[in-house]
């Protein structure tokens, strides 16, 4: 169960980082990070705006949790009665699930939680990968903004 809690906390942390970076990049974009004239766009201005845009899009992508392909659409493995994909399926009966939870085998619960942890871990890995690239783009955007203000 501690593994499940750790994954949840790490997911919340990844979401908080994405929201903070999204806010920072939004503020940077709205404050016109580089002097832009209507007559011409400098390569530095376009590059900075592109980096800000990529960073914002990656933050939004990281904030949208999802399971790929069959994991999110599956009815679960045979005997799986506890994962969120099974519980959120319209074919799942509330009463049947409650009866099974009261009388079911503890091994089924552990197996279902483990399968759920694997799926959540895959989502978490994608979030952190996206955030690494987003932070890299953000650092480059901030540096190019500072450079543009000095020139």
């Amino acid at each position: 169960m501690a593994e499940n809690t750790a994954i949840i906390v790490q997911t919340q942390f990844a979401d908080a980082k994405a929201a903070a970076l999204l806010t920072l990049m939004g503020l940077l974009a709205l404050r016109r990070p580089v002097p832009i004239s209507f007559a011409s766009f400098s390569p530095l201005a376009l590059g900075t705006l592109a980096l800000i845009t990529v960073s914002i899009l990656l933050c939004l992508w990281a904030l949208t949790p999802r399971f790929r392909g069959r994991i999110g659409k599956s009815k679960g493995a045979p005997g799986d009665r506890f994962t969120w994909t099974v519980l959120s399926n319209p074919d799942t009966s509330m009463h049947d699930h409650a009866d099974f939870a009261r009388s079911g085998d503890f091994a089924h619960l552990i197996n279902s939680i483990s399968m759920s942890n694997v799926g959540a871990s895959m989502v978490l890995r994608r979030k952190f990968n996206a955030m690494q690239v987003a932070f890299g783009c953000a650092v480059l955007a901030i540096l190019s903004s500072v450079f543009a203000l000095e020139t």
Side-chain angles (χ1 to χ4, degrees):
M1 290 300 197
E3 179 183 64
N4 187 272
T5 303
I7 292 169
I8 291 169
V9 169
Q10 289 174 354
T11 302
Q12 291 170 341
F13 183 63
D15 288 344
K17 287 194 317 187
L21 186 61
L22 181 63
T23 302
L24 178 66
M25 289 295 98
L27 290 173
L28 186 62
L30 292 175
R31 291 186 45 79
R32 285 187 241 161
V34 292
I36 300 173
S37 68
F38 290 106
S40 67
F41 287 94
S42 71
L44 183 61
L46 290 175
T48 301
L49 291 174
L51 288 168
I52 290 171
T53 302
V54 168
S55 184
I56 287 173
L57 290 175
L58 284 170
C59 287
L60 291 172
W61 185 78
L63 284 169
T64 309
R66 68 232 154 267
F67 285 95
R68 286 191 179 157
R70 65 175 184 78
I71 294 173
K73 298 174 187 168
S74 72
K75 293 183 180 180
D80 179 12
R81 305 286 291 268
F82 293 99
T83 59
W84 73 267
T85 53
V86 172
L87 295 175
S88 63
N89 190 318
D91 297 335
T92 301
S93 165
M94 237 178 5
H95 301 292
D96 288 345
H97 175 70
D99 290 340
F100 179 78
R102 280 191 292 271
S103 62
D105 183 12
F106 186 70
H108 281 116
L109 173 62
I110 297 300
N111 185 46
S112 293
I113 290 173
S114 297
M115 289 170 39
S116 182
N117 285 350
V118 168
S121 295
M122 290 189 301
V123 170
L124 182 60
R125 178 180 295 249
R126 286 193 298 272
K127 282 178 179 277
F128 274 106
N129 288 342
M131 289 311 300
Q132 283 180 326
V133 177
F135 273 105
C137 289
V139 167
L140 291 174
I142 291 169
L143 290 175
S144 67
S145 293
V146 169
F147 179 73
L149 292 175
E150 291 178 0
T151 58

